């Protein structure tokens, strides 16, 4: 076997491989002899068909099949011989394939980039330090109350967080438009669920008021005919309703599955959930900051084959999410690759960088960290031990968690070698930013 290697562009490589004729011809002859033992042809007894007859009938197909196998086998031998690390499958081109002559073919493919992690010591990272204050817990309890609030009509002007029941008619250039009219429409003020500018004139209105609302439809509005158009809505307020929050008592606690311990037990459970969410948010925020700055410091070419693989994975994930929401994947259009390309490129870069850190530092998944990750994940379930046991009994899930642990260890290595500074932040500041 003769091999020549050509760098065509960037990470693209082109191998020209020549395989001796006797190697190919002997493989073809052997395959024909095997066929002669199994083929049934009129005029010949089973197993007694001459090879010359088999060659005449099946020779071209057999040689094509052998050529495919020869290209595969010799390609892998060549990349081992030349110490090449291909990214993705090669594209084969058969250049010469004739009886009695050397077989020649070309394999075109991309290689993995040589990644050298640089600039880690120059990276500056802020590590948020957050404590859950009593006021944060009070705010969360109020949020839970609002989730179970009822509405009661009030005899006063509407204010933020109230709900108004309205009739409205919208016009553009004096003409009514489709979808611009409704009766007994309930609108919670302060949620910004309508066109920008629609809610504000209703704050301060009371039952029986007629209010004129002037708005401009956004340029990205879903209805093409209304994009960027000025509109006027004539609104009649039919009712103003205020929120009636439930009392925080034992009955309220039972709404969240707390049967014993009442309000104190509920608050303890809520704080525990807040701490878990905060911990996860801080970890995610810190990881994203590290990764973003690591990418900034390390530019390198990325194989298109790897990007394409990641695009396909992201597209399949999106398809599954949409199909679950829609109740099935029937008639779902193929999402364009461009939607996922930037994210795919970033994910491939991250994988290559973290992989190099893991390789260079000979990191191995820490068993204690793996178990800690599983226990954290399990803590959100009613029976954590059942979830933990399920993980332990599933090697695929355990390997997934080992990979997560390795990524975290790579991130920790960066943090140990970068410039870090603790910064005190409020609970709401961190959680709202993440949301």
């Amino acid at each position: 076997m003769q091999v020549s290697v050509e760098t065509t562009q960037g990470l693209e490589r082109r191998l020209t491989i020549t395989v001796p004729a006797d190697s190919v011809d002997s493989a073809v002859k052997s395959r024909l002899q095997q066929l002669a033992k199994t083929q049934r042809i009129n005029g010949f007894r089973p197993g007694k068909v001459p090879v010359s007859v088999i060659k005449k009938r099946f020779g071209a197909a057999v040689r094509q099949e052998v050529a495919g196998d020869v290209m595969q086998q010799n390609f892998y031998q060549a990349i081992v011989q030349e110490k090449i690390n291909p990214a993705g499958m090669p594209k084969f081109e058969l250049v010469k394939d004739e009886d009695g002559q050397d077989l020649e073919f070309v394999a075109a493919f991309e290689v993995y980039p040589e990644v050298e992690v640089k600039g880690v010591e120059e990276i500056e990272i802020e590590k948020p330090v957050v404590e859950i204050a009593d006021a944060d817990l009070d705010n969360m309890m109020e949020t839970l109350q609002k989730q179970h609030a009822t509405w009661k009509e009030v005899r006063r002007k509407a204010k933020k967080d109230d709900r108004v029941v309205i009739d409205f008619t919208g016009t553009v250039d004096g003409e009514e438009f489709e979808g611009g009219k409704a009766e007994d429409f309930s609108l919670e003020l302060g949620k910004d669920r309508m066109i920008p500018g629609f809610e504000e004139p209703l704050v301060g209105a009371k039952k029986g008021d007629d209010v004129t609302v002037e708005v401009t439809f956004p340029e990205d509005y879903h209805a093409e005919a209304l994009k960027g158009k000025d509109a006027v809505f004539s609104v009649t307020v039919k009712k103003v309703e205020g929120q009636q929050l439930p009392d925080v008592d034992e009955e309220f606690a039972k709404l969240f599955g707390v049967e014993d311990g009442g309000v104190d037990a509920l608050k303890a459970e809520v704080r525990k959930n807040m701490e878990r969410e905060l911990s996860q948010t801080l970890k995610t925020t810190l990881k994203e900051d590290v990764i973003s700055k690591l990418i900034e410091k390390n530019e390198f070419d990325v194989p298109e084959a790897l990007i394409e693989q990641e695009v396909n994975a992201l597209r399949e994930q999106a398809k599954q999410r949409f199909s679950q929401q829609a109740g099935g994947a029937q008639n779902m259009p193929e999402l364009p690759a461009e939607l996922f390309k930037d994210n795919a490129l970033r994910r491939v870069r991250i994988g290559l960088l973290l992989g190099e850190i893991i390789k260079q530092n000979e990191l191995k998944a820490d068993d204690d960290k793996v178990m800690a990750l599983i226990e954290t994940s399990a803590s959100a379930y009613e029976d954590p031990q059942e979830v933990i046991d399920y993980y332990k009994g599933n090697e695929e899930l355990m390997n997934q968690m080992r990979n997560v642990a390795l990524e975290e260890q790579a991130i920790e290595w960066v943090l140990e070698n970068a410039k870090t500074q603790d910064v005190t932040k409020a609970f709401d500041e961190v959680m709202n930013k993440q949301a």
Side-chain angles (χ1 to χ4, degrees):
M1 179 182 68
Q2 295 179 352
V3 181
S4 66
V5 184
E6 178 187 358
T7 299
T8 53
Q9 181 181 350
L11 299 174
E12 295 175 4
R13 298 292 183 273
R14 182 181 170 92
L15 290 186
T16 301
I17 301 173
T18 304
V19 183
D22 58 354
S23 174
V24 181
D25 292 344
S26 64
V28 171
K29 183 179 180 180
S30 176
R31 196 78 57 93
L32 290 171
Q33 289 171 341
Q34 291 173 7
L35 274 178
K37 296 176 183 178
T38 59
Q39 288 299 311
R40 291 181 177 273
I41 295 179
N42 292 336
F44 298 96
R45 286 181 297 164
K48 299 297 183 178
V49 182
V51 172
S52 59
V53 173
I54 294 292
K55 182 177 181 180
K56 187 176 181 180
R57 179 170 292 192
F58 300 107
V62 166
R63 188 165 186 91
Q64 183 179 15
E65 183 181 303
V66 168
D69 292 343
V70 167
M71 286 191 291
Q72 289 279 357
Q73 294 166 5
N74 284 270
F75 169 73
Y76 289 115
Q77 291 176 19
I79 61 175
V80 171
Q81 174 184 305
E82 301 296 326
K83 296 182 174 60
I84 296 173
N85 189 14
M89 295 301 295
K91 292 181 180 177
F92 292 125
E93 178 189 350
L94 197 54
V95 177
K96 186 192 298 182
D97 180 26
E98 298 178 14
D99 287 349
Q101 296 189 27
D102 293 347
L103 182 144
E104 183 179 325
F105 69 96
V106 170
F109 55 95
E110 293 176 292
V111 296
Y112 279 89
E114 293 183 7
V115 180
E116 181 185 354
V117 181
K118 300 176 292 186
V120 173
E121 66 283 349
E122 300 170 7
I123 291 175
E124 297 182 0
I125 300 290
E126 287 188 354
K127 298 175 69 174
V129 178
V130 184
E131 290 188 6
I132 298 175
D134 290 343
D136 298 320
L137 179 59
D138 291 341
N139 289 337
M140 187 60 70
M141 293 298 294
E142 185 177 347
T143 298
L144 297 180
Q145 284 179 279
K146 288 180 178 179
Q147 290 173 359
H148 291 79
T150 56
W151 297 96
K152 182 179 180 181
E153 186 172 0
V154 293
R155 302 292 179 178
R156 57 168 170 75
K157 294 180 179 180
K159 60 184 181 180
K160 185 180 176 182
D161 295 330
D162 281 346
R163 188 168 73 178
V164 292
V165 179
I166 58 176
D167 294 344
F168 63 80
T169 301
T171 59
V172 172
D173 297 329
E175 298 289 334
E176 293 185 20
F177 56 89
E178 185 179 354
K181 189 172 185 177
E183 294 182 355
D184 295 326
F185 185 83
S186 293
L187 176 63
E188 191 172 345
L189 301 177
K191 297 297 184 182
D192 295 326
R193 290 173 180 162
M194 299 292 281
I195 306 163
F198 188 95
E199 294 182 11
E200 285 81 349
L202 299 177
V203 175
K206 62 183 184 299
K207 180 178 179 179
D209 283 354
D210 292 321
V211 181
T212 299
V213 176
E214 298 180 0
V215 297
T216 300
F217 282 95
E219 292 293 342
D220 59 354
Y221 193 66
H222 61 85
E224 187 69 31
L226 297 175
K227 290 182 177 180
K229 296 285 189 178
D230 293 330
V232 177
F233 286 87
S234 298
V235 183
T236 299
V237 180
K238 302 176 75 173
K239 190 189 297 184
V240 177
E241 298 174 321
Q243 276 190 339
Q244 303 294 302
L245 300 180
D247 293 331
V248 179
D249 53 19
E250 287 192 9
E251 290 303 312
F252 182 73
K254 288 179 181 179
L255 293 174
F256 299 92
V258 178
E259 297 293 335
D260 299 316
V263 174
D264 288 341
L266 174 61
K267 286 185 174 182
E269 185 65 25
V270 170
R271 181 181 284 274
K272 180 180 175 182
N273 290 337
M274 291 172 68
E275 288 170 348
R276 182 174 60 245
E277 291 175 12
L278 174 62
S279 176
Q280 187 58 47
T281 297
L282 290 176
K283 183 186 291 186
T284 301
T285 302
L286 193 59
K287 179 179 178 179
E288 284 301 312
D289 193 18
V290 168
I291 285 171
S292 295
K293 289 175 179 174
L294 199 57
I295 289 175
E296 287 176 11
K297 293 289 184 182
N298 293 272
E299 283 290 333
F300 53 86
D301 291 336
V302 175
E304 285 295 326
L306 297 186
I307 297 173
E308 185 177 341
Q309 290 174 19
E310 196 63 36
V311 164
N312 290 336
L314 290 171
R315 184 154 50 186
E316 186 60 31
Q317 290 171 14
K319 184 177 179 179
Q320 290 176 2
R321 286 197 303 272
F322 291 149
S323 65
Q324 288 171 359
Q325 293 170 3
Q330 296 89 347
N331 302 320
M332 182 169 292
E334 187 73 8
L335 297 169
E338 287 302 316
L339 287 176
F340 307 96
K341 194 156 188 179
D342 288 346
N343 193 17
L345 173 60
R346 189 172 191 272
R347 286 167 65 112
V348 172
R349 284 191 186 281
I350 292 167
L352 292 172
L353 282 167
L354 295 183
E356 186 63 20
I357 290 171
I358 291 167
K359 176 184 172 183
Q360 290 298 322
N361 293 280
E362 298 181 350
L363 300 178
K364 306 294 181 186
D366 182 89
D367 290 340
D368 290 339
K369 180 176 283 293
V370 172
M371 281 310 304
L373 287 167
I374 294 172
E375 288 168 0
T376 298
S377 177
S379 66
Y381 293 85
E382 186 175 346
D383 187 349
Q385 190 57 49
E386 183 179 348
V387 177
I388 292 169
D389 292 340
Y390 182 73
Y391 266 91
K392 287 181 176 179
N394 189 314
E395 190 60 23
E396 183 179 349
L397 286 177
M398 288 299 294
N399 283 332
Q400 289 177 8
M401 205 55 86
R402 290 185 187 107
N403 289 335
V404 174
L406 266 177
E407 278 197 5
E408 288 199 2
Q409 288 170 234
I411 296 294
E412 289 168 2
W413 179 87
V414 175
L415 287 170
E416 288 169 4
N417 291 275
K419 299 174 183 177
T420 60
Q421 179 182 4
D422 290 347
V423 179
T424 302
K425 293 192 176 182
F427 175 81
D428 281 350
E429 180 185 1
V430 172
M431 301 304 289
N432 291 340
K433 182 178 180 181
Q434 182 69 13

